[in-house]
Amino acid sequence: MAGRVSDGAIHHFAGGSRLTATIERKSARQVSKVDRFLTLIRVFLVTLIVVGILAFIAQQVAPENPFARWRNPDAVGLTGDQFKGLLMSGLSQGAMYGLIALGYSMVYGVLGFINFAHGEVFMAGAMTGFIASDKFSQTGMWESNFLLSLAIIIILAIMVSTLTAVLMERVAYRPLRESPRLIPLITSIGVSFFIQNAVMGVFGPSTKSYPQLPQWLSKQRSILTFEIAGTKLLVLLVAAVSMGGLWYLVERTKTGKAMRAVAEDKEIAALMGINVNRTIVTTFAVGGAMAGIAGILWGLLFRSVTHMTGFLPGIKAFTAAVVGGIGNLPGAMIGGISLGSAESIAPLVILEPLGVPGVSQLKDAVAFTVLVLVLLFKPSGLFGEQLSAEDRA
Amino acid sequence: MSTTMTSSGSSAAGGFRAPVTDQEWSKIGKWGGLCVLALVLVSLIGMPVGLDRRILIHPVLSLGYLSLLWIPLVMGSVVSRHIELEGVESPEPGGRELLAGALTGLIGGAGMAVFILALDNFNLRDPLVNWSPQLLELLTYGRGIGFGALAWILACVLLGLVGSAIHVVPAGLRRVVSHSFFGLLTFAVLEGAISDLSEGFGLEFLTDSIYAKRGGLTVVWSIVLAVLIGGVSMLTKGRLKAAKADYGALQGPERKRASRILFVSVALMTIILPLFLGTIMNELLANVGLFLLLALGLNIVVGLAGILDLGYVAFFAVGGYTTAVLTSPDSPFFAPELHFAVTLVIVVVFAGIVGLVIGAPVIRMRGDYLAIVTLGFGEIIRLLFMSDWLKPYFGGAQGITNVPGVDLGFVVIKGTDPRSVFYLVLVFCALAIYISWRLQASRLGRAWMAIREDEKVAEAMGINTVNAKLLAFVVGAVLASFSGAVMVAKVGSVFPNSFMILVSIIILVVVIVGGMGNIAGVLVGSFVLIGILGGPRQPGLLHEFQSFKLLIYGALLVYMMLQRPEGLVPSARRSQELHQEEFLQDVWLKGEEHEQEEHEAELHAAEAGGSEPDEGSGS
């Protein structure tokens, strides 16, 4: 709309259509150069993926296949169980990314900026979980009454993460609400740096290990031919329950209605009698709570946490939010799960058959590539973004 | 803002100073609580113990104590500050401000006393690594709990008072005191540089008497210095400003001559000074130069074109790796062992191409997506250099070693001789500054600034935004790659872990703290931050800060964004843009005064009680 108006303005001021036409032709030519390059990148990436998958299929059909041998002479392929195992760890990690992504998505939907420090909120939850579970294991409660201590550490983690998120909003973001969107983003980078290093200073730089999980939880179980560790099952379960709770909160309660209204248009929401400030705080709090739960799940799944734990999962969760369409809550969850699976499967299914050695090192690179891919092909995400009226314009 | 307006409004309306209002009580409570939090946090992070070895004034003050003592001072100052608004009469500061400062200090001191008691009675060492006897010893001055607690309460009240007194004493006195305080601090912080310099000039006897043997100013000399600086400040009062105004008023050829003299003297200083400096100081200067080069490049991308590139380190890495591969005999796959000068040409070409390749897919994205995607690219490049996949080409995590220095025929520039490295860096910095300076006022520079402010409008004005943004990427990439090339030649090896995202963010902090879009700002930012605090791995003058500097960088970034987004040395245009709202508000308030009378008359005429005139105008 704005573009059209200003084009008209140029037309008017130039007093002739020739100049406008030249500008248009010129910019069309220039843009197409970049477009051609982008098309090239798109074609290249798609070819890479297709060839990789074809080579993988060839490898699965018969490892002796010349096509499979073409890039990777020692191709062996994956067994069905290996593949299922990869899928399961991808899913459980993805569920965690999804939970973190909810926070990014909600904040972006409401305030229109990326809260880069949201990964630190997640880290705060994981750290709280470690401290509490370590104390529990020292007193023996962790072993004797695991479920109760798990419930307590989840509640503690939710409290600390929520508090972190709310404080962040109050101190760093509220004064910047009207500024251009890059300003709060830069601020959030500073917040992220500060929290990381403050946690390192206070709790030390060493890697902290969660206490051993009870045998009955961590043992392998088989469900519908899928062999899955009980921990991963628990992670999936908790993630599903939290997502259900969040859905209920957002779609069925008055608070949720207020959140959606504020996300749509702050000013009009305020005119309707909604306390915008409180709703924004609620949004941060809910996002923080989800990140806190994800923190505990991380602790159960990987059993180790450091002050840097929040950095990569944070960026990946943002990727997940973009994949699902930012502002779109079910999208964030599905985006998380797809990203987790892609990250876990793609190195072995696409890169290994292409003869890339040491593929597990490239897991993070795959996640970033997914981000670039999504933004190149479908910037609004797989399920469409839901932004405020102002951001859509 | 609105709270200050009402509070000062109400007290002014009464004609006399009303007793302390609830609002002011809550303000004191808030800042006092913050003071306690900050004191405890700093203690638990380990700053007092970690920085205790650095002594500022010999037996009295160490950096460790300073890391705590500034808190009540600043809180006291903040709590008694009134925001002056145009059109609103603010009351004359007086005893009430002092009381507020003292009370804030009291809360802080009491909190500290409680903290000391807790330190003595509980052992929370398990999660809190700095909950240690050393901390207790330090906080109580080794003289028992009671003494320590009382001393903290007293000290905090005193500092809170001093902090609030800043607003009460006359401006002239405030100026002199603050000048001598900061001057003294500068002398203490720059101890290494100053003693090194005086050694170079053969003036050791002077610094030997100023500084104590174990480091830090001696008490006598700190008093002398404070008085001296205060005296100088009193004598030069207004002179500097006048000189600056004179310079600004110069016209045509005279101004040209004056700026040429200024330029030549500065250039001579930077060339001659390193000759009198020792190895450590030259090393420090070389590091500052390397980061300055990076910051100048990022300044073009972020400051001028407004593209937030968080993966800037990628170009630094490309420059470094290209140089290493082309010059080192140990390069695993392809080792032509070219000369540095030849390499440099290839580095420029390569960096330009990488700039285009990374830039092309991202330039059409929303600004914030672009930031995260470039961050992803920066990380991908590091992961690729580190991976086993590209190990045959780039050496994986072990990197490439044995990179030769720069052979100039008569001298080989290598890391073992930091002075020569500094001169090499200086050449590149001069080039970068020249490029930035010429670009700023050029057609392209103006196009960048237009894009920064509003891309759509810029496009409508006939700017080819795609090309301009791509060019910003390329220019930034080339400058960063220079820095990478020189760094590799200096260090003699290259590892993927030298190119963490951290580097990008530190450079961003340098640019933002200095002043986005302003060359002088970037210069100041690099010298102050990299020189004093240090780079990601490189120590600065306060090398004790090593483990705390990232924390400080983070806090600085937040503080600057909230309080002074235009940086220490703002670019005139940018600060106008950032403070546009305040400017408009001022105009509005001035307009309001005229309207007020009419408005009041109207109200009187209507006599309709209850309908309060625009309550929400503050927001």
Side-chain angles (χ1 to χ4, degrees):
Chain A
M1 185 70 168
R4 211 173 300 152
V5 170
S6 23
D7 278 355
I10 286 183
H11 189 103
H12 177 75
F13 284 121
S17 61
R18 224 166 41 153
L19 181 62
T20 330
T22 330
I23 290 170
E24 261 167 26
R25 214 181 317 131
K26 211 171 173 183
S27 67
R29 199 185 63 220
Q30 297 291 353
V31 167
S32 79
K33 218 184 263 169
V34 175
D35 276 336
R36 233 174 282 149
F37 178 71
L38 289 190
T39 315
L40 210 74
I41 295 182
R42 288 193 188 107
V43 170
F44 172 73
L45 285 171
V46 169
T47 321
L48 195 77
I49 293 170
V50 169
V51 172
I53 291 176
L54 282 179
F56 175 71
I57 293 171
Q59 189 178 287
Q60 289 308 109
V61 174
E64 304 303 316
N65 192 317
F67 183 56
R69 296 260 138 176
W70 166 55
R71 293 296 307 160
N72 188 358
D74 4 280
V76 280
L78 292 171
T79 63
D81 283 345
Q82 274 173 328
F83 188 78
K84 282 177 189 164
L86 279 179
L87 193 65
M88 279 299 132
S89 34
L91 282 182
S92 52
Q93 250 194 73
M96 226 158 45
Y97 293 154
L99 283 181
I100 310 171
L102 293 170
Y104 280 103
S105 219
M106 283 195 291
V107 169
Y108 202 99
V110 170
L111 290 177
F113 83 94
I114 302 170
N115 179 10
F116 196 82
H118 190 62
E120 265 43 71
V121 175
F122 157 76
M123 184 267 289
M127 204 47 112
T128 313
F130 159 73
I131 293 165
S133 61
D134 196 49
K135 289 281 173 232
F136 282 143
S137 105
Q138 277 167 19
T139 55
M141 189 175 157
W142 185 256
E143 283 79 20
S144 62
N145 202 340
F146 174 73
L147 282 181
L148 179 65
S149 18
L150 183 67
I152 294 177
I153 66 167
I154 289 186
I155 290 169
L156 278 177
I158 290 178
M159 277 162 59
V160 171
S161 288
T162 308
L163 191 72
T164 314
V166 169
L167 269 181
M168 216 184 252
E169 193 272 336
R170 182 68 197 86
V171 175
Y173 305 144
R174 193 176 294 179
L176 297 173
R177 209 166 280 164
E178 298 304 319
S179 39
R181 71 166 89 213
L182 283 187
I183 303 265
L185 173 61
I186 296 174
T187 313
S188 69
I189 294 172
V191 171
S192 162
F193 238 57
F194 179 78
I195 295 181
Q196 264 172 27
N197 288 287
V199 167
M200 185 190 82
V202 173
F203 300 111
S206 60
T207 305
K208 289 143 185 80
S209 309
Y210 269 57
Q212 198 81 39
L213 298 177
Q215 187 61 38
W216 60 264
L217 178 68
S218 54
K219 76 165 186 247
Q220 293 281 327
R221 285 154 203 276
S222 115
I223 291 168
L224 302 170
T225 77
F226 280 85
E227 280 284 319
I228 177 169
T231 333
K232 286 174 187 164
L233 205 64
L234 180 75
V235 167
L236 287 173
L237 211 72
V238 173
V241 170
S242 328
M243 183 64 201
L246 182 70
W247 178 84
Y248 182 80
L249 176 79
V250 173
E251 298 289 331
R252 289 282 180 274
T253 63
K254 223 167 175 180
T255 321
K257 212 174 198 175
M259 281 164 67
R260 282 180 287 144
V262 171
E264 182 65 31
D265 194 319
K266 280 199 271 300
E267 270 160 35
I268 297 195
L271 288 178
M272 297 294 135
I274 293 168
N275 185 340
V276 173
N277 262 342
R278 198 169 59 204
T279 311
I280 289 174
V281 171
T282 315
T283 309
F284 270 89
V286 173
M290 291 292 146
I293 297 172
I296 294 293
L297 297 184
W298 172 278
L300 296 180
L301 209 55
F302 299 106
R303 293 199 36 239
S304 80
V305 50
T306 71
H307 61 281
M308 290 301 290
T309 296
F311 181 68
L312 271 182
I315 297 172
K316 285 180 189 167
F318 171 73
T319 307
V322 174
V323 169
I326 204 140
N328 182 338
L329 297 190
M333 203 65 205
I334 299 173
I337 289 174
S338 358
L339 182 73
S341 334
E343 180 186 81
S344 147
I345 293 172
L348 284 162
V349 169
I350 296 171
L351 295 180
E352 177 106 336
L354 289 177
V356 176
V359 284
S360 56
Q361 294 166 330
L362 296 174
K363 218 172 118 179
D364 300 335
V366 167
F368 292 127
T369 315
V370 170
L371 177 63
V372 176
L373 272 174
V374 170
L375 288 177
L376 276 181
F377 283 98
K378 205 165 182 318
S380 57
L382 297 179
F383 304 98
E385 40 187 18
Q386 289 171 6
L387 296 175
S388 64
E390 176 191 355
D391 283 327
R392 271 197 303 264
Chain B
M1 224 176 224
S2 61
T3 54
T4 343
M5 273 172 87
T6 45
S7 79
S8 51
S10 67
S11 52
F16 62 94
R17 302 298 298 270
V20 182
T21 58
D22 283 354
Q23 241 167 13
E24 280 167 322
W25 278 118
S26 74
K27 198 174 167 193
I28 292 170
K30 182 180 139 198
W31 288 101
L34 257 174
C35 183
V36 176
L37 268 180
L39 283 168
V40 172
L41 184 69
V42 167
S43 308
L44 286 179
I45 282 170
M47 278 198 191
V49 177
L51 302 178
D52 193 39
R53 262 182 301 156
R54 174 69 183 239
I55 292 160
L56 295 180
I57 296 174
H58 177 46
V60 194
L61 184 69
S62 76
L63 198 58
Y65 283 115
L66 189 69
S67 72
L68 288 171
L69 292 177
W70 68 271
I71 297 170
L73 188 74
V74 169
M75 296 293 172
S77 156
V78 171
V79 82
S80 51
R81 184 180 58 190
H82 284 281
I83 300 166
E84 277 179 31
L85 286 176
E86 194 117 6
V88 178
E89 230 175 282
S90 62
E92 197 62 31
R96 214 146 64 141
E97 276 66 34
L98 290 178
L99 182 67
L103 281 175
T104 310
L106 183 68
I107 297 175
M112 212 50 190
V114 173
F115 179 61
I116 288 173
L117 284 179
L119 261 179
D120 191 39
N121 290 312
F122 302 101
N123 181 13
L124 298 182
R125 188 103 198 235
D126 186 4
L128 307 172
V129 288
N130 290 307
W131 190 278
S132 62
Q134 288 98 296
L135 182 62
L136 185 65
E137 164 103 22
L138 196 90
L139 291 183
T140 57
Y141 314 96
R143 291 196 197 168
I145 310 302
F147 177 82
L150 274 181
W152 272 105
I153 294 176
L154 228 90
C156 286
V157 170
L158 215 68
L159 286 166
L161 262 177
V162 173
S164 53
I166 293 172
H167 304 288
V168 179
V169 297
L173 183 62
R174 186 195 315 164
R175 221 176 60 105
V176 171
V177 170
S178 71
H179 278 185
S180 48
F181 173 73
F182 284 109
L184 208 57
L185 200 65
T186 315
F187 264 97
V189 167
L190 296 182
E191 185 187 341
I194 291 173
S195 34
D196 205 43
L197 200 63
S198 68
E199 217 165 285
F201 284 113
L203 298 169
E204 291 101 319
F205 64 93
L206 204 63
T207 42
D208 280 352
S209 62
I210 292 180
Y211 295 111
K213 273 232 164 52
R214 274 187 57 212
L217 294 161
T218 55
V219 178
V220 179
W221 268 98
S222 40
I223 295 169
V224 172
L225 277 175
V227 171
L228 269 177
I229 298 166
V232 171
S233 151
M234 241 187 290
L235 285 178
T236 57
K237 186 182 171 188
R239 298 263 169 84
L240 263 175
K241 235 178 213 157
K244 213 170 164 188
D246 281 350
Y247 177 71
L250 285 180
Q251 298 242 319
E254 269 183 58
R255 172 162 190 152
K256 226 174 195 170
R257 218 184 57 208
S259 50
R260 197 169 292 158
I261 292 170
L262 205 69
F263 172 77
V264 169
S265 50
V266 169
L268 273 179
M269 273 251 287
T270 35
I271 291 171
I272 293 172
L273 219 54
L275 294 175
F276 297 98
L277 287 173
T279 318
I280 298 175
M281 282 303 130
N282 271 308
E283 169 87 24
L284 203 122
L285 277 179
N287 285 335
V288 170
L290 283 174
F291 278 88
L292 173 61
L293 203 50
L294 282 169
L296 283 167
L298 191 66
N299 180 45
I300 287 177
V301 184
V302 178
L304 292 186
I307 305 168
L308 183 58
D309 181 358
L310 294 181
Y312 192 62
V313 68
F315 307 127
F316 187 45
V318 167
Y321 265 98
T322 314
T323 314
V325 167
L326 293 179
T327 57
S328 168
D330 286 359
S331 163
F333 178 70
F334 175 68
E337 295 186 48
L338 296 175
H339 187 265
F340 187 79
V342 185
T343 312
L344 215 53
V345 178
I346 304 172
V347 164
V348 170
V349 174
F350 246 67
I353 292 173
V354 174
L356 280 177
V357 168
I358 291 185
V362 301
I363 40 167
R364 295 238 202 86
M365 289 172 188
R366 280 202 287 256
D368 42 2
Y369 278 24
L370 186 146
I372 304 287
V373 172
T374 46
L375 184 129
F377 271 124
E379 201 53 9
I380 286 178
I381 286 196
R382 184 179 71 88
L383 287 168
L384 286 182
F385 279 133
M386 200 146 86
S387 67
D388 283 348
W389 177 35
L390 297 180
K391 193 174 179 172
Y393 310 97
F394 302 113
Q398 282 81 45
I400 299 170
T401 51
N402 214 357
V403 180
V406 181
D407 191 355
L408 290 183
F410 57 97
V411 64
V412 180
I413 297 173
K414 246 191 124 47
T416 44
D417 179 17
R419 191 173 294 145
S420 62
V421 177
F422 172 73
Y423 284 121
L424 182 67
V425 174
L426 193 65
V427 171
F428 282 107
C429 283
L431 186 71
I433 290 173
Y434 183 73
I435 291 175
S436 306
W437 177 59
R438 296 292 296 176
L439 275 176
Q440 230 169 28
S442 72
R443 192 188 169 85
L444 184 62
R446 282 175 285 135
W448 283 335
M449 283 183 261
I451 291 172
R452 179 183 73 196
E453 292 325 316
D454 194 320
E455 202 172 331
K456 284 208 179 94
V457 174
E459 197 160 11
M461 290 296 137
I463 293 168
N464 186 333
T465 53
V466 171
N467 276 9
K469 282 165 104 179
L470 271 181
L471 270 173
F473 258 97
V474 171
V475 175
V478 168
L479 292 185
S481 70
F482 282 155
S483 184
V486 178
M487 193 208 66
V488 166
K490 169 178 176 269
V491 179
S493 56
V494 60
F495 306 105
N497 279 342
S498 318
F499 305 108
M500 307 269 263
I501 289 300
L502 197 78
V503 181
S504 303
I505 295 183
I506 285 183
I507 304 164
L508 183 69
V509 182
V510 168
V511 172
I512 284 172
V513 169
M516 258 198 269
N518 189 5
I519 300 172
V522 174
L523 268 162
V524 170
S526 322
F527 270 93
V528 170
L529 290 183
I530 306 296
I532 292 179
L533 291 176
R537 275 149 202 259
Q538 298 77 0
L541 273 174
L542 290 177
H543 50 87
E544 292 84 358
F545 265 122
Q546 193 68 10
S547 41
F548 307 111
K549 71 182 159 204
L550 296 179
L551 182 87
I552 297 172
Y553 276 126
L556 256 181
L557 194 54
V558 178
Y559 175 79
M560 292 306 279
M561 279 299 129
L562 290 177
Q563 298 296 332
R564 216 183 143 90
E566 70 273 26
L568 289 176
V569 188
S571 111
R573 191 171 298 178
R574 202 159 156 78
S575 64
Q576 267 172 17
E577 282 148 8
L578 281 165
H579 293 286
Q580 199 173 26
E581 253 175 44
E582 282 161 39
F583 174 71
L584 290 175
Q585 204 169 27
D586 281 353
V587 172
W588 172 73
L589 277 167
K590 272 178 192 155
E592 183 100 318
E593 272 169 26
H594 298 295
E595 273 173 35
Q596 198 112 44
E597 288 145 25
E598 295 167 29
H599 197 65
E600 267 166 22
E602 241 171 72
L603 274 179
H604 281 298
E607 281 292 344
S611 66
E612 292 182 16
D614 34 59
E615 205 179 88
S617 60
S619 57

